[in-house]
Amino acid sequence: MERLNHWIAEAASFVWGLPLLILLIGGGLYLLVYSRFLPFKYFGHAIKVLRGKYDNPDDPGEINHFQALMTALSSTVGMGNIAGVAVAIAVGGPGAVFWMWVSAIVGMSTKFFTCTLAILYRGKDDSGAIQGGPMYFITEGLGKAWKPLAAFFSIAGLVGALPVFNVNQLTQAINDILLVPNGIAKDFSTDLTIGIVLAIIAGIVILGGLNRISKTAAKIVPGMVVLYFLAVLVILFINASEVPRYFQLIFTDAFAANNYTGDPMLGGILGALIILGIRRGAFSNEAGIGTAPMAHGAAKTEEPIREGLVAMLGPFIDTIIVCTLTALSILVTGVWQSSDANGVSLTAKAFSDAMPGFGSYVLLLCIAVFSISSLFSYSYYGTKCLSFLVGTRYKHTYNYFYIGSILIGATTSLSLMINLIDTFFALMAIPTMLATLILAPKVMAKARVYFKGIKNL
């Protein structure tokens, strides 16, 4: 197991090297400048679209704009925000948060383009149903000759969509917050029991298909984001005197990697700190990875730009708001320096220190809902990838493999899970970003027409 862990860690480090960083962030910056920040100018219009002002039930698709965003957010607002941020701070200190912000700003532009393409170049599966996502906008937008690139994305997506990291961290949270403090020893049997319960819950929802997944996500995600927001505000209020100092540290440490007190192996290596922040930011908001376009590609709309604008809100909610709240709660309580905990355990320590007795249970409730909701949406992504590769008649086979992987995630190590998903997320990003950059002029042509029409209303 140690050898496997080392091999996967090496693979993750290799694929998340400078070339991918240039593709994700350089490509995202190019899209940002190429669009002349146009999508950001219509942030308010995006909110109106999200609220259903332009919904038409007769438009092609399966779910409305709000359900599409909630389905995408149910996979992104979760352990990436709670455990992923903790990992970044534990290793890279406060400066890593700044580079997560950079990833989010760039990611908003990237998501506008990728999710516009998901509607602009929707295809049909072998059953004749309309489908969207990178594999379809590659084949429909670039032509059948590019199908190997679409297949590459789908193969990587079969593993990248597995829920092993979220399940691993939820299991750790249940053990550390609920079981161990109440005298129940953590062992393989308790981990397996948690995994079985999660597998049953996930199975009930995901076997019901996209409509059940989207409706469930639309009901539970907004409430949990609000609860998490309020809980962190309490922590920040209790430690109000520390907030300005740590806000300043986020900026100063971002450009002075040798000054932070995180992992000494990264000391003085600014590039490593940037890559760490980008990796965790990409894991959090998934911009450029290609998962969100699969959810947004199912939206009921005939107007691609509208869905791109709605999708753009995802990284803002996910990283700018939720990840920042997590980061500040960890920083202002001082647990990032005083505790050896990592991942979700570090965030739990911050909550319990700030709100003794009940803080950790509030976090556990949020973690449980975020993690379980992410199980639903990731299964949809995996079935779409398998459907593209071998046909819709076999897509439900993935769900059984997916449910089985929940048991693996509950009983294996954190580092193995992070590196495994990081590796395949990186592989998914390559075809997604390449196709998006090539097709960007098509998006801007549509955007100019759409925004001109908005001004004339």
Side-chain angles (χ1 to χ4, degrees):
M1 183 61 73
E2 286 184 13
R3 184 176 296 178
L4 177 64
N5 198 2
H6 174 74
W7 185 84
I8 293 177
E10 289 293 315
S13 297
F14 174 76
V15 295
W16 276 98
L18 188 60
L20 185 66
L21 184 68
I22 293 172
L23 183 63
L24 267 180
I25 299 304
L29 283 171
Y30 167 78
L31 295 173
L32 196 63
V33 175
Y34 178 65
S35 68
R36 297 182 182 179
F37 299 86
L38 194 61
F40 293 83
K41 297 174 185 176
Y42 293 91
F43 198 91
H45 180 66
I47 301 292
K48 292 179 182 177
V49 176
L50 179 65
R51 292 175 62 185
K53 183 176 180 180
Y54 302 94
D55 282 0
N56 182 350
D58 296 326
D59 281 345
E62 297 179 71
I63 53 181
N64 63 35
H65 293 293
F66 181 76
Q67 289 173 330
L69 181 63
M70 289 305 107
T71 301
L73 280 177
S74 70
S75 64
T76 59
V77 177
M79 283 305 174
N81 307 84
I82 297 171
V85 174
V87 169
I89 292 175
V91 177
V97 179
F98 176 85
W99 297 109
M100 292 184 73
W101 288 345
V102 171
S103 173
I105 297 296
V106 173
M108 289 175 70
S109 176
T110 303
K111 274 209 174 171
F112 169 76
F113 277 85
T114 57
C115 294
T116 296
L117 287 170
I119 299 293
L120 183 59
Y121 291 110
R122 282 199 275 209
K124 290 185 178 181
D125 58 29
D126 61 349
S127 67
I130 294 175
Q131 300 288 352
M135 64 285 265
Y136 290 98
F137 69 65
I138 289 171
T139 53
E140 299 296 322
L142 297 178
K144 300 299 181 184
W146 291 77
K147 190 170 183 178
L149 192 67
F152 178 84
F153 170 85
S154 299
I155 292 168
L158 293 176
V159 179
L162 292 177
V164 285
F165 175 75
N166 284 337
V167 170
N168 178 276
Q169 287 295 273
L170 177 56
T171 303
Q172 183 177 321
I174 293 172
N175 281 318
D176 292 350
I177 298 172
L178 187 63
L179 300 185
V180 174
N182 290 293
I184 301 174
K186 167 186 165 20
D187 55 26
F188 179 81
S189 63
T190 57
D191 290 348
L192 183 61
T193 301
I194 294 168
I196 291 171
V197 172
L198 293 176
I200 292 171
I201 294 172
I204 292 171
V205 175
I206 67 178
L207 296 178
L210 177 60
N211 276 316
R212 188 182 295 176
I213 291 169
S214 64
K215 287 176 182 177
T216 305
K219 289 177 182 176
I220 64 178
V221 172
M224 281 304 101
V225 170
V226 171
L227 176 61
Y228 189 67
F229 182 80
L230 293 175
V232 175
L233 284 184
V234 171
I235 295 175
L236 298 183
F237 179 78
I238 293 170
N239 297 276
S241 61
E242 296 293 317
V243 174
R245 182 167 76 90
Y246 278 109
F247 234 109
Q248 183 180 0
L249 263 181
I250 288 172
F251 289 94
T252 56
D253 280 21
F255 300 96
N258 57 315
N259 292 332
Y260 72 86
T261 54
D263 190 335
M265 290 182 67
L266 283 178
I269 308 175
L270 180 58
L273 179 59
I274 294 172
I275 291 174
L276 173 70
I278 299 305
R279 276 176 70 171
R280 299 275 61 83
F283 184 70
S284 169
N285 61 54
E286 298 176 19
I289 304 299
T291 50
M294 288 191 273
H296 287 283
K300 278 183 174 291
T301 183
E302 288 187 327
E303 182 46 69
I305 300 302
R306 284 182 190 153
E307 198 57 35
L309 289 170
V310 169
M312 180 185 72
L313 300 174
F316 181 83
I317 297 169
D318 175 270
T319 306
I320 301 295
I321 296 178
V322 182
C323 284
T324 301
L325 291 172
T326 302
L328 287 174
S329 69
I330 292 170
L331 293 171
V332 301
T333 55
V335 296
W336 67 287
Q337 292 176 307
S338 62
S339 173
D340 292 330
N342 199 351
V344 70
S345 299
L346 186 62
T347 311
K349 184 78 168 64
F351 272 65
S352 62
D353 283 5
M355 298 178 286
F358 69 93
S360 56
Y361 292 104
V362 173
L363 178 65
L364 181 60
L365 175 62
C366 293
I367 287 170
V369 174
F370 287 152
S371 296
I372 292 171
S373 67
S374 73
L375 299 184
F376 308 151
S377 51
Y378 274 125
S379 70
Y380 171 65
Y381 300 151
T383 56
K384 284 197 72 162
C385 289
L386 188 63
S387 296
F388 181 82
L389 290 169
V390 298
T392 54
R393 62 181 296 190
Y394 300 106
K395 70 178 183 179
H396 292 300
T397 307
Y398 183 83
N399 283 333
Y400 301 108
F401 175 67
Y402 182 92
I403 292 169
S405 75
I406 292 174
L407 304 181
I408 297 173
T411 54
T412 46
S413 74
L414 168 62
S415 59
L416 178 64
M417 294 301 97
I418 288 180
N419 289 323
L420 179 70
I421 299 304
D422 270 355
T423 300
F424 283 91
F425 259 37
L427 296 176
M428 292 167 70
I430 295 169
T432 300
M433 287 302 296
L434 285 176
T436 300
L437 291 169
I438 296 170
L439 292 169
K442 302 288 187 181
V443 174
M444 284 309 299
K446 280 281 184 182
R448 281 188 283 269
V449 173
Y450 179 79
F451 291 130
K452 186 177 180 180
I454 292 297
K455 287 180 181 178
N456 293 333
L457 288 178

